[in-house]
Amino acid sequence: MKHDNWTVYLSGEIHTDWRETIATGVEKAGLPVTLLSPVTDHKASDDCGVAILGAEGDDFWKDHKGAKVNAIRTRSMIERSDMVVVRFGEKYKQWNAAFDAGFAAALGKPLITLHDPDLTHPLKEVDGAALAVAQTPEQVVKLLTYVINGDL
Amino acid sequence: MKHDNWTVYLSGEIHTDWRETIATGVEKAGLPVTLLSPVTDHKASDDCGVAILGAEGDDFWKDHKGAKVNAIRTRSMIERSDMVVVRFGEKYKQWNAAFDAGFAAALGKPLITLHDPDLTHPLKEVDGAALAVAQTPEQVVKLLTYVINGDL
Amino acid sequence: MKHDNWTVYLSGEIHTDWRETIATGVEKAGLPVTLLSPVTDHKASDDCGVAILGAEGDDFWKDHKGAKVNAIRTRSMIERSDMVVVRFGEKYKQWNAAFDAGFAAALGKPLITLHDPDLTHPLKEVDGAALAVAQTPEQVVKLLTYVINGDL
Amino acid sequence: MKHDNWTVYLSGEIHTDWRETIATGVEKAGLPVTLLSPVTDHKASDDCGVAILGAEGDDFWKDHKGAKVNAIRTRSMIERSDMVVVRFGEKYKQWNAAFDAGFAAALGKPLITLHDPDLTHPLKEVDGAALAVAQTPEQVVKLLTYVINGDL
Amino acid sequence: MKHDNWTVYLSGEIHTDWRETIATGVEKAGLPVTLLSPVTDHKASDDCGVAILGAEGDDFWKDHKGAKVNAIRTRSMIERSDMVVVRFGEKYKQWNAAFDAGFAAALGKPLITLHDPDLTHPLKEVDGAALAVAQTPEQVVKLLTYVINGDL
Amino acid sequence: MKHDNWTVYLSGEIHTDWRETIATGVEKAGLPVTLLSPVTDHKASDDCGVAILGAEGDDFWKDHKGAKVNAIRTRSMIERSDMVVVRFGEKYKQWNAAFDAGFAAALGKPLITLHDPDLTHPLKEVDGAALAVAQTPEQVVKLLTYVINGDL
Amino acid sequence: MKHDNWTVYLSGEIHTDWRETIATGVEKAGLPVTLLSPVTDHKASDDCGVAILGAEGDDFWKDHKGAKVNAIRTRSMIERSDMVVVRFGEKYKQWNAAFDAGFAAALGKPLITLHDPDLTHPLKEVDGAALAVAQTPEQVVKLLTYVINGDL
Amino acid sequence: MKHDNWTVYLSGEIHTDWRETIATGVEKAGLPVTLLSPVTDHKASDDCGVAILGAEGDDFWKDHKGAKVNAIRTRSMIERSDMVVVRFGEKYKQWNAAFDAGFAAALGKPLITLHDPDLTHPLKEVDGAALAVAQTPEQVVKLLTYVINGDL
């Protein structure tokens, strides 16, 4: 008595290997999960707008073009997902991660946050909208295992 | 002239074998039905939050964490379902079953309730939102057979 | 450049073979169409409620139970459909057909009506909400052929 | 502890004075209700399209133009309403009434039907989607009185 | 910088004076709140269906008729509300309260539950969907005061 | 970590081979994309209404019938799409293309416009709603390649 | 039995006085209508982005900024409206008008188009989505009079 | 031809007087605007959960309770707003501001961001979803003046 496929979007921090840890764990557990993610190549993600659609003299518009091209991917993937995991790391502003969390919450997607305990206070509103607050990618794999198979 | 697949969520009581009866009946009838259900292992369902995400000193938060982890599964499954069957038994408060019924009703999911006639009065509002009120799992199988194949 | 599957719900009149004509035409044209319909066995459709869920002394409740059981099928099918064809014949009130048309229109489903020209005046509101008004099942097949393949 | 205004759309039959009976009853009971209705002048309703937007040689298009002009009013009113009452009389096809009922049902509007008991069988699907089935306009006034004020 | 009106639906238990306590508190605090509630006269609520629409021989249908008439009021009120408070008491099954909570949650309405701590375990799924879990009506008034005016 | 299928609707100009250029590019890049389009045979598109449903004396109604038959296809395809590309050429009014863009925008579909730079001013509102503004079909292929595979 | 207020958005052509004609007619007829419109000062509408948010070296971005600022107004107004009138004139591309029509159609807003008969063919898709096709602003006033008051 | 009221939610940074600057500007310009905001008393906002609903030993749950109580206010206000302004300052993580932006974007609310140019790069995804990117509260007042009155 289970779904035969789950789509999970992995949003947020792109400088550690947490997505790979989850992917490996999911595979090992044999879970019927399709993992989606934004483009995690930082430079490609920054340059995509001008690289494809033409150079800009002004950095604002370079960023703007790139952000919108990335949004084609991220919004489409969030809308298709059964749940959204958002990871916050120690560095950078990561406002796009929090934006994704708000976007997912407004769509009613089950939200899982993933971050160290010392980020609890600034993330309290995001955590408040989440159905689970994890500290490690291994916990996310355990959550998926339980949610999908019922196994603790 | 039929759908080739139906997804049916079986919500509610977890202490009798009504889900198995329906599963057996569906299989015998050769119906193209995927049956979904919450995690029906009572202890796992109670413990999942603290087992995965860390212990709590306060029972309220233990329950809270577990309820939310289970909600990742149940809401996702209800949203994917073509219809929702909610079973009420003789024991326990079963407020989660009634909550699921209200949730499904608000989403416009066809609702079938399943309970003994002596629960009619306290369940009148839930039954009032249902498209069928069954007393036995066998009736649910007959409903599925008719709804899907048109066979009485 | 086409969809690879279309789901079409055939609502309304159940006393002539218009559904079979469309099914044959669709098959001959090799169209990737799944045709859905209500239960078209008049007696089964009338009796399903009491046959499955228990007899009623009062005809109102017999009808009520049956109508709701049928609604599990019809609403689910209308919601899954890419378009809805509603056929009105010469006989009977056929209010359920007009109800289905209104239901489909409110969901934004493309609506095709199918009826003789002498029903134009009483059907003007239903036709006003339709994207095509056909007089024969053969025209419906031609509509499907054009809409799906672009072939006139 | 009450709403301070309720908007109720009165759809359907236009050849008896049921709307006036309800209006009088609502006023007498001092209910905070705004009653809306389609244009009930049969001739104006039939002619509006060609009278305003230009004559048509073909009756089909005369009807079509008129039906759509009327739909500007009726859809807007149904969407604004808190509940929809649909009256079916003895005469005419009244498919527009059943269409309105289906439209309202798909929008999740509470639906009340109003008709004589001898129309029970052909109206069973419409009644099956209703929250109340009344036989007289006086009963509709009593329903409004109870729903709004809690008075039996 | 505030809303100038808030609509709050008070669902659930009807045998203690918690609604009056909240109403008095709201008035004393001068909050711009409209409080809505189901019909809280137990007998009227049970009898409304048959009293208005005609007697039934079978208790099931008496209950069914009444539950649906009450649903005209409760669903309309829940949909209009800015937030929903659901009270669970010590007695009765109160499945309608849990149903309302699920209904409100699926509509995205902010949910506040109100119950004694000894109901925490059976209410964990309902509490898990709530934005606040209160134990006394006075806490609900304080919540409203803070949410509306920002005053602790 | 990718979707395994993307549906892209190609709306607008039908007198150059831009759709074929995109199709070829998509195939060469091995992208998991289903391309959809309106019927691009100008004469068939103009005549479909009268050819299938009967001749009209008045050109307005000939156009009306045809436009609605085409709408069965276009609306269904837009609703199924993950993103919508709208091409504006040098000739004709192309109001249907702008209509499709508005329709897609209101549904929240990611929108890509495709046009020469000298159309920038009159298209500013449409471009303002787009997530990417391309000048060549090759850029659209590059966008798809990046959005789907993350490759620049 | 009428609404007590109607909000009508007047989209499209800004170089003739059709909006004033409608406003005068509405006032003369004493209709309870609030008329909304985009900013109709062509220069202000073109310059608003750079005038408020800072100059741009590139015309594309000047247009882009302005179009989005105008979109704050137009989308908000379309969403608030009970119906949308879109006027197409003889000159200019007017793709924004067609975009508004598509946007309104996707939201289910009743749509009235207003244009000369010689634009019928290029506007056939937009007219196909409209509930009325008018040729003069006086006809729009008559439509409003009939829709609101039932007077021909 | 204007709306007679606009509701604008001012989300984000709470340590400078930008809200007051906008409020003063709106008043001076005589704009028909209702400004809404979160509770901006930092300490009250942090403490509200435990102050009203009972102390917590664990800071995580103190934060959690407070964040959810605040969410009753913020979500309700965002849903009522015609547009949402989100201000990002130099200090703090401000993930709740980005969360609100994502939430508003998913609801289709017109979004205005307000921040210094040196935050452009980390805010590019949020800006990419905005209809205007302002640097000063005075620009926001000018935007409101133009959007509401059409005056530059």
Side-chain angles (χ1 to χ4, degrees):
Chain A
M1 292 194 186
K2 331 173 183 170
H3 282 304
D4 48 3
N5 64 81
W6 294 74
T7 302
V8 180
Y9 184 70
L10 305 176
S11 171
E13 193 240 353
I14 60 172
H15 298 95
T16 64
D17 63 353
W18 66 279
R19 283 187 184 81
E20 285 65 37
T21 309
I22 291 177
T24 307
V26 158
E27 200 182 351
K28 231 188 250 176
L31 300 176
V33 167
T34 303
L35 295 171
L36 303 177
S37 72
V39 172
T40 56
D41 176 334
H42 196 149
K43 196 172 151 35
S45 168
D46 275 3
D47 292 345
C48 62
V50 293
I52 298 172
L53 299 170
E56 291 296 331
D58 185 338
D59 270 5
F60 179 86
W61 295 117
K62 179 194 165 189
D63 277 344
H64 197 73
K65 266 172 137 170
K68 284 184 162 176
V69 168
N70 283 309
I72 299 175
R73 177 177 173 109
T74 56
R75 289 194 201 165
S76 176
M77 287 181 165
I78 290 175
E79 295 203 355
R80 284 206 206 181
S81 294
D82 296 303
M83 72 186 85
V84 174
V85 180
V86 187
R87 159 84 183 151
F88 291 86
E90 295 305 304
K91 298 197 303 183
Y92 303 104
K93 296 291 190 182
Q94 305 177 83
W95 284 321
N96 57 332
F99 181 89
D100 282 358
F103 199 92
L107 297 179
K109 302 286 176 185
L111 187 68
I112 296 171
T113 54
L114 171 58
H115 60 83
D116 285 351
D118 56 342
L119 293 180
T120 288
H121 190 64
L123 278 171
K124 66 182 186 295
E125 288 87 1
V126 182
D127 286 349
L131 288 178
V133 179
Q135 297 181 16
T136 66
E138 288 78 11
Q139 285 178 322
V140 175
V141 176
K142 282 185 191 166
L143 281 168
L144 293 174
T145 306
Y146 175 74
V147 164
I148 295 171
N149 287 343
D151 299 335
L152 276 193
Chain B
M1 294 194 184
K2 333 173 182 168
H3 281 305
D4 48 2
N5 64 80
W6 294 75
T7 301
V8 180
Y9 184 70
L10 304 176
S11 171
E13 191 239 354
I14 59 171
H15 299 94
T16 64
D17 63 354
W18 66 280
R19 284 186 184 82
E20 286 64 37
T21 309
I22 291 177
T24 307
V26 157
E27 199 181 353
K28 230 188 248 173
L31 300 177
V33 167
T34 303
L35 295 171
L36 303 177
S37 72
V39 172
T40 55
D41 176 333
H42 196 149
K43 195 172 153 35
S45 168
D46 274 3
D47 293 346
C48 61
V50 294
I52 298 172
L53 299 170
E56 291 295 331
D58 185 338
D59 270 3
F60 179 86
W61 296 116
K62 180 195 165 189
D63 277 344
H64 197 72
K65 266 172 138 171
K68 284 184 163 177
V69 167
N70 284 309
I72 299 176
R73 177 177 173 109
T74 56
R75 290 193 201 165
S76 176
M77 286 180 165
I78 290 175
E79 294 203 355
R80 286 207 203 181
S81 294
D82 296 303
M83 74 186 84
V84 174
V85 180
V86 188
R87 160 85 183 151
F88 291 86
E90 295 306 303
K91 300 196 299 184
Y92 304 104
K93 296 290 190 183
Q94 305 176 84
W95 284 321
N96 57 331
F99 181 88
D100 282 357
F103 200 90
L107 297 179
K109 302 285 176 187
L111 188 68
I112 297 170
T113 54
L114 170 58
H115 60 84
D116 285 351
D118 56 342
L119 293 179
T120 288
H121 189 64
L123 278 172
K124 66 182 186 296
E125 288 87 1
V126 182
D127 286 349
L131 288 178
V133 179
Q135 297 181 15
T136 67
E138 288 77 12
Q139 285 178 321
V140 175
V141 176
K142 282 186 191 165
L143 281 168
L144 293 174
T145 306
Y146 175 75
V147 164
I148 295 171
N149 288 341
D151 299 335
L152 275 193
Chain C
M1 293 193 185
K2 334 174 182 166
H3 282 305
D4 49 2
N5 64 79
W6 294 75
T7 301
V8 180
Y9 184 69
L10 304 176
S11 171
E13 191 241 353
I14 59 171
H15 299 95
T16 64
D17 63 354
W18 67 279
R19 283 186 185 82
E20 285 64 37
T21 308
I22 291 176
T24 308
V26 157
E27 199 181 352
K28 230 189 250 173
L31 300 176
V33 167
T34 302
L35 295 171
L36 303 177
S37 72
V39 172
T40 55
D41 176 333
H42 197 147
K43 197 173 151 36
S45 168
D46 274 3
D47 293 347
C48 62
V50 294
I52 299 172
L53 299 171
E56 292 295 330
D58 184 338
D59 270 2
F60 178 86
W61 295 116
K62 180 195 165 192
D63 278 345
H64 196 72
K65 265 173 139 171
K68 284 185 161 176
V69 168
N70 284 308
I72 299 176
R73 177 177 172 108
T74 56
R75 290 193 200 167
S76 176
M77 286 181 165
I78 290 176
E79 295 204 354
R80 286 206 203 183
S81 294
D82 296 303
M83 74 186 84
V84 173
V85 180
V86 187
R87 161 84 183 150
F88 291 86
E90 295 305 304
K91 300 197 301 185
Y92 304 104
K93 296 289 191 184
Q94 303 177 86
W95 284 320
N96 57 331
F99 181 88
D100 281 358
F103 199 91
L107 296 179
K109 302 285 176 189
L111 187 68
I112 296 170
T113 54
L114 171 59
H115 61 83
D116 285 351
D118 56 340
L119 293 179
T120 288
H121 190 65
L123 278 172
K124 64 182 189 295
E125 288 87 1
V126 182
D127 286 348
L131 287 177
V133 179
Q135 296 180 15
T136 66
E138 288 78 11
Q139 285 179 321
V140 174
V141 176
K142 283 185 189 165
L143 281 168
L144 293 175
T145 306
Y146 175 75
V147 163
I148 295 171
N149 287 343
D151 299 336
L152 275 193
Chain D
M1 293 194 185
K2 330 172 182 169
H3 282 305
D4 48 3
N5 65 79
W6 295 75
T7 301
V8 180
Y9 184 69
L10 305 176
S11 171
E13 192 238 355
I14 60 171
H15 299 95
T16 64
D17 62 353
W18 67 279
R19 284 186 184 82
E20 285 65 37
T21 308
I22 291 177
T24 305
V26 158
E27 198 180 352
K28 230 188 248 172
L31 300 176
V33 167
T34 302
L35 296 171
L36 302 177
S37 72
V39 172
T40 55
D41 175 334
H42 196 148
K43 195 172 153 36
S45 168
D46 274 4
D47 293 345
C48 62
V50 293
I52 298 172
L53 299 171
E56 292 295 331
D58 185 338
D59 270 4
F60 179 86
W61 295 116
K62 181 195 163 187
D63 277 345
H64 197 72
K65 266 172 139 172
K68 283 185 163 176
V69 168
N70 283 309
I72 300 176
R73 177 177 173 109
T74 56
R75 289 195 201 165
S76 176
M77 286 180 166
I78 290 175
E79 295 203 354
R80 285 206 205 181
S81 294
D82 296 302
M83 73 186 83
V84 174
V85 180
V86 188
R87 160 84 183 151
F88 291 85
E90 295 305 303
K91 300 197 299 184
Y92 303 104
K93 296 290 190 182
Q94 307 177 84
W95 284 321
N96 57 332
F99 181 88
D100 282 357
F103 200 92
L107 297 180
K109 302 285 175 187
L111 188 67
I112 297 170
T113 55
L114 171 59
H115 61 83
D116 284 351
D118 56 342
L119 294 180
T120 288
H121 189 64
L123 278 171
K124 66 183 187 295
E125 287 88 0
V126 181
D127 286 349
L131 288 178
V133 179
Q135 298 181 15
T136 67
E138 289 77 12
Q139 285 178 321
V140 175
V141 176
K142 282 185 190 164
L143 282 168
L144 293 174
T145 305
Y146 175 75
V147 164
I148 295 171
N149 287 341
D151 299 334
L152 275 193
Chain E
M1 292 195 185
K2 330 172 184 168
H3 282 306
D4 49 1
N5 65 79
W6 294 74
T7 301
V8 180
Y9 184 70
L10 304 176
S11 171
E13 191 239 354
I14 59 170
H15 299 95
T16 65
D17 62 354
W18 66 280
R19 283 185 185 83
E20 285 65 37
T21 308
I22 290 177
T24 307
V26 158
E27 198 181 352
K28 231 190 247 174
L31 300 177
V33 167
T34 303
L35 295 171
L36 303 178
S37 71
V39 173
T40 54
D41 175 334
H42 197 147
K43 194 171 154 36
S45 167
D46 273 4
D47 293 345
C48 61
V50 293
I52 299 172
L53 299 171
E56 292 295 330
D58 185 337
D59 271 2
F60 179 85
W61 296 116
K62 180 196 165 188
D63 277 345
H64 196 71
K65 266 173 139 171
K68 284 185 161 176
V69 168
N70 284 309
I72 300 176
R73 177 178 174 107
T74 56
R75 290 194 199 165
S76 176
M77 286 181 166
I78 290 175
E79 295 204 353
R80 287 205 203 183
S81 294
D82 297 301
M83 73 187 85
V84 174
V85 180
V86 188
R87 161 85 184 150
F88 291 85
E90 295 305 304
K91 300 197 299 187
Y92 303 105
K93 296 290 190 183
Q94 306 176 87
W95 284 321
N96 57 333
F99 181 88
D100 282 356
F103 200 92
L107 296 179
K109 302 286 175 187
L111 187 68
I112 296 171
T113 55
L114 171 59
H115 60 83
D116 285 351
D118 57 341
L119 294 179
T120 288
H121 189 65
L123 278 171
K124 64 182 187 297
E125 288 86 0
V126 182
D127 286 349
L131 288 178
V133 179
Q135 297 180 16
T136 67
E138 288 77 12
Q139 285 178 321
V140 175
V141 176
K142 282 185 190 166
L143 282 168
L144 292 174
T145 305
Y146 175 75
V147 164
I148 295 171
N149 288 340
D151 299 335
L152 274 194
Chain F
M1 291 192 187
K2 332 173 184 168
H3 282 306
D4 49 1
N5 65 79
W6 294 75
T7 302
V8 180
Y9 184 69
L10 304 175
S11 171
E13 192 240 355
I14 59 172
H15 299 95
T16 64
D17 62 353
W18 67 279
R19 284 187 183 81
E20 285 66 36
T21 308
I22 290 176
T24 308
V26 158
E27 198 182 351
K28 230 188 252 175
L31 300 176
V33 167
T34 303
L35 295 171
L36 303 177
S37 72
V39 173
T40 55
D41 176 333
H42 197 148
K43 198 174 150 36
S45 167
D46 274 3
D47 293 346
C48 62
V50 293
I52 299 172
L53 300 171
E56 290 296 330
D58 185 337
D59 270 4
F60 179 86
W61 295 116
K62 180 195 165 190
D63 277 346
H64 197 73
K65 266 173 138 171
K68 284 186 162 174
V69 168
N70 284 308
I72 300 176
R73 178 177 171 109
T74 57
R75 290 195 201 164
S76 176
M77 286 181 166
I78 290 175
E79 296 204 352
R80 284 206 205 183
S81 294
D82 296 302
M83 72 187 86
V84 174
V85 180
V86 187
R87 160 83 184 152
F88 291 86
E90 296 304 304
K91 299 197 302 184
Y92 304 103
K93 296 291 191 183
Q94 304 178 85
W95 283 321
N96 57 331
F99 181 88
D100 281 358
F103 199 91
L107 297 179
K109 301 286 176 187
L111 187 67
I112 296 171
T113 55
L114 171 59
H115 61 82
D116 284 351
D118 57 340
L119 293 180
T120 288
H121 190 64
L123 278 171
K124 65 182 188 294
E125 287 86 3
V126 182
D127 286 349
L131 288 177
V133 179
Q135 297 180 16
T136 67
E138 288 78 12
Q139 285 178 323
V140 175
V141 176
K142 283 184 190 165
L143 282 168
L144 294 174
T145 306
Y146 175 75
V147 164
I148 295 171
N149 287 343
D151 298 335
L152 276 194
Chain G
M1 292 193 185
K2 331 173 183 168
H3 282 306
D4 48 2
N5 66 79
W6 294 75
T7 301
V8 180
Y9 184 69
L10 304 176
S11 171
E13 194 238 353
I14 60 171
H15 299 95
T16 65
D17 63 352
W18 67 279
R19 283 187 185 81
E20 285 66 37
T21 307
I22 290 176
T24 306
V26 157
E27 199 181 350
K28 232 188 247 174
L31 300 176
V33 167
T34 301
L35 296 171
L36 303 177
S37 71
V39 173
T40 56
D41 176 333
H42 196 149
K43 197 174 150 35
S45 168
D46 274 5
D47 293 346
C48 62
V50 293
I52 298 172
L53 299 171
E56 291 295 330
D58 185 337
D59 271 3
F60 179 86
W61 295 116
K62 180 195 164 189
D63 277 345
H64 197 72
K65 266 172 138 171
K68 283 185 163 175
V69 168
N70 284 308
I72 299 175
R73 178 177 172 107
T74 56
R75 290 196 200 163
S76 175
M77 286 180 166
I78 290 175
E79 296 204 354
R80 285 205 205 182
S81 293
D82 297 301
M83 73 187 83
V84 174
V85 180
V86 187
R87 160 86 184 149
F88 291 85
E90 295 305 303
K91 299 197 299 184
Y92 304 103
K93 297 290 192 183
Q94 305 177 85
W95 284 321
N96 57 332
F99 181 89
D100 281 359
F103 200 92
L107 297 180
K109 302 285 175 185
L111 187 68
I112 297 171
T113 54
L114 171 59
H115 61 83
D116 285 351
D118 57 341
L119 294 179
T120 288
H121 189 64
L123 278 171
K124 66 183 188 293
E125 287 87 1
V126 182
D127 286 349
L131 288 178
V133 179
Q135 297 181 15
T136 67
E138 288 77 11
Q139 285 178 322
V140 174
V141 175
K142 283 185 191 163
L143 282 167
L144 293 174
T145 305
Y146 175 75
V147 164
I148 295 170
N149 287 340
D151 299 335
L152 277 192
Chain H
M1 290 193 187
K2 329 172 184 169
H3 282 307
D4 49 1
N5 65 79
W6 294 74
T7 301
V8 179
Y9 184 69
L10 304 176
S11 171
E13 192 238 354
I14 60 170
H15 299 95
T16 63
D17 63 353
W18 67 279
R19 282 185 185 83
E20 285 66 35
T21 307
I22 290 176
T24 306
V26 157
E27 199 182 351
K28 232 189 248 174
L31 300 176
V33 167
T34 302
L35 295 171
L36 303 177
S37 72
V39 172
T40 55
D41 175 334
H42 197 147
K43 196 174 152 33
S45 168
D46 274 4
D47 292 347
C48 62
V50 293
I52 299 172
L53 299 171
E56 290 296 328
D58 184 338
D59 270 3
F60 179 87
W61 295 116
K62 180 195 165 188
D63 277 345
H64 196 71
K65 266 173 138 171
K68 284 185 162 175
V69 168
N70 284 308
I72 299 175
R73 177 178 173 108
T74 56
R75 290 195 199 165
S76 176
M77 286 181 166
I78 290 175
E79 295 204 352
R80 286 206 204 182
S81 294
D82 297 302
M83 75 187 84
V84 174
V85 180
V86 187
R87 160 85 184 149
F88 291 86
E90 295 305 304
K91 301 196 298 184
Y92 304 105
K93 296 291 192 183
Q94 304 176 84
W95 284 321
N96 56 333
F99 181 88
D100 282 357
F103 199 91
L107 297 179
K109 302 285 176 187
L111 188 67
I112 296 171
T113 55
L114 171 59
H115 61 82
D116 285 350
D118 57 340
L119 294 180
T120 288
H121 189 64
L123 278 171
K124 65 183 189 293
E125 287 86 1
V126 182
D127 286 349
L131 288 178
V133 178
Q135 297 181 15
T136 67
E138 288 78 11
Q139 285 178 322
V140 174
V141 176
K142 283 185 190 165
L143 282 168
L144 292 175
T145 306
Y146 175 75
V147 163
I148 295 171
N149 288 341
D151 299 335
L152 276 192

